[in-house]
Amino acid sequence: MIEATNLSKRFGETVALDGLSFTSRNGRIVGLLGPNGAGKTTALRILYGLLKADSGAVTIDGSDVESNKLEARRKIGALPDIQGLYPRLTARENIYYFGRLHGIDEKTLKRRTGKLIEQFDMGSIADRSAQGFSHGERMKTSLARALVHDPPNVLLDEPTNGLDVPSVRALRQVISNLRSDGRSVIFSSHVMQEVAALCDDIVIVARGKAVAVGSPDDIRRQAGCEDLEEAFVRLAGPEAGSAL
Amino acid sequence: MNWRQLLVFVRKELTDHRRDRRALLSASVGVVIGPLLISFMLTQIAKDQIAAEDITISIAGAAYAPTLVTWLEQQAGVTVEDAPAEAEAAVRAGTLDLAVVIDEDFQQDFSESRPALVKFIYDGSENNLRAKISRTRQLLSGYSATTGALRLMARGVSPQAAQTLEVQEVEVSSAQQRAAKILGILPMMILLSAFGASMGAAADATAGERERGSLEALLMNPVALSAVVGGKWLGAAVLSALGSTACLLLSALAMQAIPLQDLGIRFQLEAWQLGLGVLILLPAAFLAPALQMLVCSFSKTLKEAQPHLGFLTMLAMAPGMIAAIYGAENADWMLAAPFFSQTKLLSSVLAGERPEVWQVVLSAALSLAAAAVCLQVIARLMRSENLVINR
């Protein structure tokens, strides 16, 4: 479970986050939905503990991200917006590397990695160096790398960006499996349909604030219209429409 | 310090560096180039030295001084040939090494006991002719002294009366010290190889991680920054240590293969010299990647890091080069400057001298302390948000 309370963050003159709050519970998927530049990536980076919020707090399964950074990081698995694989390592070695940094013993590591490779259908690329991977292959490898320590909370920053249709469908299946495992999942997107298809809760972010929070039905009710996309545009403001 | 994580980092870095063919190739070029260059230069010098003993003297007007020409021909290794017309122009143009022009009044001046004119034409800026020039000059003054002594004896005067000084040359530098002078640039080459060997690795571990965006993913893990920085550093330092040690051993091998005895030099590297050399070298090999990682931490991409690395290497080598050019005397303060101190200590070890223990310890301690400071600063930089998200 992740609780973000009243997060604010400025970069010089630019206000990236302006009092954003949301909660993600175990066994549920939260979608951070907003146009480009709304502050989604900044919010996620504060959750991983890479950026420090100017004000506000984040707790991950009860551990404060700022005061207990390492403990909080053990409980999350994250897919950042740039996946950053090591091109000279194979997919398997990339996964092993992060697993070892988490202190997983070799036997468990081999077993879990093997399972993830099978689950993500990565058998043919597992022992190839990441140098020539396609976007989808990089995505799968990064995701496996983020899950190798079996984290109770999973954060995905625009995971579907640039993926072809079969990969998006496979990814959706993976995300919903994560929910049935009882994990809390947060993923960000600027595509309404994607969020609507998967999420239990939607947080619409615009200009660093949560402009609407709730289930897809709640959102429709708040916006006063049946069409979710129309609701998103109404709630996020005019610039959200142009970003679509 | 999380030792287990440190090991994970070192292991990963080494795997990564081992597969980076391009970086490995340029590192090995850096290791080989120094020994090759120096053995080439020394072989050339040795060849010139042998060539100097067998000289051909071009003489214009040989007919004016048959006794001088005959005397020259009798000297070991000397061949006399007729100089072409316009001998001076030929030397000037570089088509002729040197020429001796005998004045047409030679015979008359000589028989009347006046100094007879002999013109010796050479180009002193030609380094490779230096030995030939000095041999020819020695031969001419030798003839002058011999014939002069004969004249004095004919007049009933002891030739010693004309000799007011007896100059006894005592060369104090040992053969090995002379060798070290010629080999003076070798320590600098070896230190350069320490820089070259870790350059690619250090850049990849810092600017490269930022460029790929993998630093963000890496730092999201529950990792201690001291282990991140320490592991990356050790990974690069292994390359630097291996590279510079290989360069030292390769140089030793190359020196054995060169006919240094032809230069009047006895250059024998013994095991203790090599061992002590490695011991002196290692702290520099640990400092070089720390400095490289530090300057690369300020760069967002590998390309941006390149010029910084070049400047860094130049800056580190500058004191040694300046000292070599101006021939600075050894002074204790030199031990305080990293890289310079290793250059100095290595030179004296290669020359067969044993430095004091405190000198070796001081040089090592200061270099390692500097490396520790660099690592601290890098760890602090990695706490900066801008660096992590590569803005």
Side-chain angles (χ1 to χ4, degrees):
Chain A
M1 172 163 164
I2 294 178
E3 278 182 283
T5 327
N6 207 17
L7 299 179
S8 296
K9 178 75 183 171
R10 306 172 72 106
F11 296 108
E13 287 300 296
T14 322
V15 178
L17 291 181
D18 184 14
L20 179 70
S21 302
F22 59 89
T23 304
S24 121
R25 288 181 182 77
N26 293 350
R28 289 179 79 84
I29 301 172
V30 174
L32 288 183
L33 180 67
N36 295 330
K40 304 184 297 286
T41 295
T42 304
L44 288 174
R45 280 174 169 161
I46 291 173
L47 300 193
Y48 324 138
L50 285 179
L51 295 182
K52 188 178 183 306
D54 297 336
S55 65
V58 177
T59 59
I60 294 174
D61 291 344
S63 303
D64 183 76
V65 165
E66 265 316 304
S67 59
N68 204 352
K69 200 171 267 182
L70 295 190
E71 192 49 43
R73 281 181 183 168
R74 276 196 193 97
K75 296 173 191 156
I76 56 172
L79 188 76
D81 62 342
I82 309 168
Q83 289 138 8
L85 293 175
Y86 292 90
R88 286 184 293 272
L89 300 189
T90 65
R92 199 187 299 272
E93 285 168 337
N94 266 291
I95 301 168
Y96 280 172
Y97 182 33
F98 276 29
R100 287 182 184 128
L101 290 178
H102 274 277
I104 304 172
D105 67 89
E106 290 295 306
K107 215 176 123 198
T108 315
L109 182 60
K110 290 220 165 83
R111 183 172 46 80
R112 279 202 200 145
T113 306
K115 218 171 124 193
L116 284 165
I117 285 171
E118 189 190 300
Q119 199 181 331
F120 293 170
D121 194 20
M122 288 167 58
S124 59
I125 59 161
D127 297 304
R128 262 173 46 199
S129 72
Q131 192 85 63
F133 279 9
S134 72
H135 190 80
E137 290 165 343
R138 279 207 300 278
M139 163 72 215
K140 284 178 180 175
T141 311
S142 309
L143 191 59
R145 192 171 73 166
L147 298 176
V148 68
H149 58 291
D150 197 18
N153 301 282
V154 181
L155 308 172
L156 311 165
D157 194 357
E158 309 238 3
T160 56
N161 255 5
L163 288 187
D164 56 16
V165 174
S167 306
V168 171
R169 296 181 75 167
L171 182 66
R172 263 192 217 144
Q173 192 52 51
V174 169
I175 294 175
S176 88
N177 289 347
L178 290 173
R179 168 174 52 191
S180 20
D181 294 346
R183 295 176 221 264
S184 97
V185 181
I186 298 180
F187 88 89
S188 74
S189 174
H190 58 266
V191 184
M192 184 72 219
Q193 290 87 332
E194 226 164 59
V195 173
L198 269 174
C199 295
D200 305 301
D201 302 296
I202 297 175
V203 179
I204 296 183
V205 185
R207 293 174 302 276
K209 279 194 254 265
V211 291
V213 181
S215 67
D217 285 340
D218 292 337
I219 299 285
R220 288 194 193 93
R221 215 170 303 128
Q222 279 182 45
C225 67
E226 270 309 296
D227 181 37
L228 260 178
E229 190 170 308
E230 185 56 33
F232 172 42
V233 175
R234 273 196 206 167
L235 291 165
E239 73 270 37
S242 65
L244 289 172
Chain B
M1 176 61 80
N2 187 331
W3 296 105
R4 205 173 138 168
Q5 271 187 356
L6 185 79
L7 280 181
V8 174
F9 282 116
V10 174
R11 186 172 162 191
K12 180 262 166 189
E13 291 298 315
L14 288 179
T15 310
D16 216 337
H17 300 330
R18 210 178 51 224
R19 293 183 190 166
D20 191 352
R21 295 247 173 84
R22 216 155 35 155
L24 281 187
L25 185 72
S26 68
S28 3
V29 169
V31 167
V32 175
I33 193 95
L36 270 185
L37 206 69
I38 293 199
S39 34
F40 175 75
M41 288 185 331
L42 283 174
T43 313
Q44 264 332 95
I45 296 172
K47 265 193 199 153
D48 291 344
Q49 193 77 14
I50 298 163
E53 279 159 24
D54 298 310
I55 58 169
T56 305
I57 304 174
S58 304
I59 298 182
Y64 303 129
T67 39
L68 168 60
V69 175
T70 315
W71 183 84
L72 283 174
E73 278 172 334
Q74 285 164 355
Q75 305 306 307
V78 177
T79 317
V80 171
E81 62 170 26
D82 283 329
E86 302 296 327
E88 190 172 332
V91 173
R92 216 177 272 283
T95 52
L96 192 62
D97 285 352
L98 49 86
V100 171
V101 180
I102 296 169
D103 191 62
E104 53 185 328
D105 295 332
F106 186 95
Q107 205 57 51
Q108 198 184 346
D109 286 337
F110 193 82
S111 56
E112 289 167 17
S113 292
R114 280 196 304 270
L117 185 64
V118 172
K119 238 201 232 169
F120 179 29
I121 304 166
Y122 63 89
D123 181 353
S125 65
E126 290 283 347
N127 268 335
N128 53 348
L129 291 179
R130 207 158 271 178
K132 283 188 180 179
I133 291 165
S134 80
R135 176 114 206 269
T136 311
R137 188 185 289 128
Q138 266 172 23
L139 286 168
L140 291 173
S141 22
Y143 183 77
S144 172
T146 315
T147 49
L150 286 173
R151 277 183 197 164
L152 290 177
M153 283 200 281
R155 287 165 177 76
V157 180
S158 160
Q160 282 177 355
Q163 193 185 352
T164 57
L165 288 181
E166 185 188 337
V167 180
Q168 232 176 42
E169 292 185 17
V170 182
E171 167 88 276
V172 290
S173 68
S174 75
Q176 274 171 317
Q177 277 170 329
R178 261 182 292 155
K181 211 166 224 173
I182 294 171
L183 301 170
I185 41 173
L186 189 57
M188 240 184 292
M189 289 289 190
I190 295 172
L191 280 168
L192 264 178
S193 74
F195 273 86
S198 61
M199 195 178 275
D204 190 74
T206 47
E209 286 256 20
R210 285 180 74 179
E211 185 172 359
R212 283 192 299 270
S214 50
L215 190 64
E216 183 177 347
L218 178 65
L219 294 181
M220 280 179 343
N221 290 298
V223 289
L225 276 180
S226 54
V228 178
V229 177
K232 285 168 173 294
W233 168 66
L234 278 175
V238 167
L239 295 186
S240 179
L242 285 178
S244 50
T245 305
C247 188
L248 176 65
L249 297 181
L250 218 58
S251 307
L253 277 178
M255 294 307 130
Q256 305 304 318
I258 298 169
L260 283 173
Q261 61 278 6
D262 292 345
L263 289 170
I265 292 169
R266 199 177 69 83
F267 186 80
Q268 200 77 49
L269 278 183
E270 287 165 33
W272 71 266
Q273 283 169 294
L274 291 178
L276 192 55
V278 172
L279 206 64
I280 289 167
L281 207 52
L282 282 182
F286 283 120
L287 176 55
L291 284 168
Q292 286 168 336
M293 280 172 63
L294 180 60
V295 298
C296 290
S297 293
F298 292 100
S299 306
K300 286 182 197 172
T301 63
L302 284 171
K303 204 171 162 189
E304 211 180 300
Q306 289 297 340
H308 299 321
L309 285 171
F311 286 136
L312 172 71
T313 315
M314 259 162 47
L315 207 64
M317 293 296 137
M321 281 188 214
I322 293 169
I325 292 166
Y326 292 103
E329 296 280 318
N330 276 328
D332 283 343
W333 66 263
M334 290 174 178
L335 292 170
F339 303 115
F340 193 24
S341 67
Q342 279 89 6
T343 316
K344 285 280 152 200
L345 290 174
L346 261 183
S347 306
S348 59
V349 168
L350 291 181
E353 293 162 8
R354 279 171 203 264
E356 308 274 343
V357 173
W358 69 266
Q359 292 178 317
V360 177
V361 171
L362 181 70
S363 157
L366 288 174
S367 294
L368 292 177
V373 171
C374 288
L375 297 183
Q376 288 289 333
V377 177
I378 298 167
R380 184 156 299 181
L381 283 173
M382 283 212 178
R383 258 177 222 124
S384 129
E385 297 186 341
N386 286 348
L387 192 133
V388 173
I389 63 176
N390 205 22
R391 274 155 58 92

